[in-house]
Amino acid sequence: MEWLSAENVVAVGTAVLGIVASGVMVWYERRTPRRKRIGYRVQMDNPIGDDVRLGRANVRVGLFDEVPGMSDATLVLVRVENDGSQGIDRDDYTSPEVHGLTAVFTGRTVRGVSVTQPSDTGHLMDHFTAARGFGYEGNALRIPRVPLNRGDHFKLLVLLSGGDVGGEIRLIGGIRDGEVHPNRSATPDEKPPLFSRAARLITIMLTVSVLTLATIVVTRDGTPPPIGCEQGTLTLTGSTAFAPVLVEVARKYERDCAGASVTVDPHGSTAGVRELAAAGAALRKGSPPVVALSDGPRPSGLTRLSENRVALSVFALVINDDVRLTNLSTKDVRRLYRGEIGNWRQLGGPDLPVKLVSRDANSGTRQVFQRRVLGRGEIANSSVDCEHKDDATAPVIRCELDSTDQVLSTVAALPGAVGYSELNAAERAGGLRTVKLDGDAPSVDAIEHGANAYPYREIEYAYTYGRPPADSLASSFLTYLSRGNGQDVIRTHGHIPCWTPEGLKLCADDT
């Protein structure tokens, strides 16, 4: 790894720049003059009556129990401060009234007020007179135009009645070339923060972000292996369940690699594998530009085909919503597909005849179902339209369809129907539900993290005729699909990529 590569230099430079910018922001916050500002904080809001809503219980003696109107009384301490970097004069207040600010105590009535201030700002008391607007009425307390040097403050201890502890308290008024704003609540002795919450958050986020960027870029083990873009044409055939992944990856490859044309033409896993074998045999020498995807291993006898493990696919048994069952044992599923159960009431469901909606013999989804769940083949086909028996001697209705979409739409439309599908497609369909097998749900996350032993799953294989040359489009596309950008597409379509740490183990164990 080259530590002084251009990429690493840029990353480290970005980190240093970010830290410097953070330091400049802190300096600016503390040193550069800001607009004139008056801030206010509610430092206490306590009940002193015995009928105050939302207040903590308190103990009183003497005057509190004797004076009328004290049953719902509260005491509020408000700190008013110049927290800007410029002094504020009487003329800086923009109120058209004699007074400068108004404190509003929503839902409460002001009964009295006392003004306090630090010992070194006694001159402020001269401004709190009725002639200068100091007074109260209803829920409003009028505050005079008090000049405040930078850092000066005064406090208002207000006696109120009615309303709730914690009710809204606002300071209304304006400052020329400045603002009046609420500050974070604090205890009476707590000092204001050194700089604003926004400045602290921005500084922390910027510093963490740039340091993380530099760490990731410098310490990662190089970049992903290049896909080695190739030009030419390539046909992808086989699994219809995996076709949505192939379509999206093919389009991404064509965008990333100019001059490549990738066609997706699925006909079912078995048909696709046999089509690849026939194309290779006809070529006699070399490997045809064809890749066949199969839900499970190739049929026996096709020894010239080379396999590549791409993903672990999860499938699901689906039933019409009217059946209402959520779990079936593997034993009961096998009885269903042997024709031994003709009505769902035999399994605790509603009084509906069973209708088996299956895939054709070329389907990898069907082959996985037979291999992983049934342990044998399905009974003979007995219906063309999936609703009526063409063979009166058949124990149940069973039909075969050409695609996953046909199975899902048919199961959703026929009361009592049951079928099977790739999980991601089943979860998007309406009018049906997926079924647990032996209590285990069809869940990609649970399988990936070893949380259940759900059986209806299988490795998705990509087959080529022999080993295509390293500089061929087939070889480049397989690398792109299984180890490059195709991994993200595989995952978003509900499959587990075989070349992730979790996928490597799952794809090895599920052979």
Side-chain angles (χ1 to χ4, degrees), residues 95 121 200 219 334 336 346 404 426:
S95 171
T121 56
R200 295 198 305 272
T219 61
R334 291 171 178 172
L336 276 169
Q346 295 174 250
T404 296

Side-chain angles (χ1 to χ4, degrees), residues 13-30:
T14 303
V16 173
L17 181 62
I19 294 173
V20 171
S22 300
V24 170
M25 179 175 290
V26 173
W27 177 87
Y28 181 86
E29 177 77 20
R30 301 306 305 155

Side-chain angles (χ1 to χ4, degrees), residues 45-264:
D45 190 353
N46 288 342
I48 59 174
D50 57 5
D51 192 30
V52 177
R53 292 175 295 173
L54 305 180
R56 296 185 299 273
N58 53 80
V59 178
R60 307 167 311 284
V61 295
L63 188 63
F64 291 135
D65 294 324
E66 300 170 3
V67 177
M70 285 292 176
S71 63
D72 59 356
T74 53
L75 275 177
V76 170
L77 181 65
V78 179
R79 174 186 170 117
V80 181
E81 56 199 353
N82 179 352
D83 59 357
S85 58
Q86 301 181 36
I88 296 174
D89 296 327
R90 285 177 47 83
D91 293 339
D92 288 327
Y93 293 89
T94 61
S95 171
E97 307 294 336
V98 175
H99 62 280
L101 303 173
T102 302
V104 177
F105 301 86
T106 302
R108 290 186 265 189
T109 301
V110 180
R111 304 292 296 275
V113 60
S114 174
V115 183
T116 66
Q117 82 293 316
S119 58
D120 58 347
T121 56
H123 61 282
L124 299 182
M125 298 298 290
D126 296 338
H127 299 275
F128 289 94
T129 65
R132 295 191 176 184
F134 186 47
Y136 58 84
E137 181 177 355
N139 66 349
L141 170 63
R142 298 185 298 276
I143 303 172
R145 298 170 179 260
V146 181
L148 294 171
N149 294 324
R150 177 182 175 184
D152 281 357
H153 76 271
F154 59 87
K155 298 182 181 181
L156 304 169
L157 184 63
V158 187
L159 176 64
L160 303 152
S161 63
D164 300 338
V165 169
E168 184 182 24
I169 299 174
R170 293 178 295 133
L171 222 63
I172 300 173
I175 301 294
R176 184 176 293 107
D177 298 326
E179 62 179 348
V180 177
H181 67 100
N183 281 333
R184 180 176 59 88
S185 297
T187 62
D189 297 325
E190 183 179 350
K191 294 182 178 180
L194 291 178
F195 42 87
S196 68
R197 178 180 297 179
R200 295 198 305 272
L201 290 176
I202 292 174
T203 300
I204 293 172
M205 290 174 62
L206 179 59
T207 302
V208 170
S209 297
V210 296
L211 287 176
T212 301
L213 170 65
T215 301
I216 291 174
V217 174
V218 172
T219 61
R220 68 181 180 178
D221 187 18
T223 56
I227 62 171
C229 286
E230 301 294 341
Q231 298 180 350
T233 61
L234 178 67
T235 298
L236 307 177
T237 187
S239 170
T240 58
F242 206 66
V245 174
L246 299 180
V247 170
E248 185 171 343
V249 176
R251 300 293 80 80
K252 289 174 68 71
Y253 186 93
E254 289 175 339
R255 287 196 299 269
D256 293 343
C257 300
S261 176
V262 183
T263 301
V264 181

